[in-house]
Amino acid sequence: FPLMTKEGARIEILLNATARRNPDGEIIGVVGIGQDITGRIAQEREYTRLIDTANAPIFGVDTQCAVNIWNQSAIELVGYQTDEVMGKNL
């Protein structure tokens, strides 16, 4: 989730939380651990941009051979639009 720093910068936080309980097992609060993933998200966006703008056709499939990546060069080469191939078996 997004979080604003005191200086006004937006950072993305991955938060894991669990219930905090008293000795009787009643929930008395929450304990959370946050991790700044702003850099990772930026890297993923850059990776996606590089794939989308590559001069070579790039595609990816999942473990079931269903297409999950299909760039512009793949569209130009075979003529299928992204929405026509995503989730389909290669």
Side-chain angles (χ1 to χ4, degrees):
F1 70 91
L3 183 68
M4 299 301 288
T5 68
K6 183 176 182 179
E7 294 78 26
R10 179 187 167 122
I11 59 174
E12 295 291 333
I13 301 294
L14 174 63
L15 181 64
N16 291 303
T18 188
R20 184 171 171 222
R21 298 177 185 270
N22 67 14
D24 296 326
E26 298 167 333
I27 295 175
I28 59 171
V30 174
V31 175
I33 299 173
Q35 179 181 1
D36 181 356
I37 59 170
T38 307
R40 187 176 96 192
I41 290 173
Q43 287 174 334
E44 289 172 1
R45 288 182 181 145
E46 178 65 8
Y47 176 68
T48 299
R49 187 191 68 75
L50 290 172
I51 288 173
D52 288 344
T53 59
N55 291 330
I58 298 175
F59 65 91
V61 296
D62 63 17
T63 57
Q64 305 301 311
C65 290
V67 175
N68 58 14
I69 296 173
W70 193 257
N71 77 347
Q72 185 63 37
S73 291
I75 294 170
E76 293 166 6
L77 179 67
V78 298
Y80 287 105
Q81 296 297 313
T82 304
D83 62 343
E84 295 178 286
V85 297
M86 292 300 278
K88 302 285 197 287
N89 193 298
L90 186 61

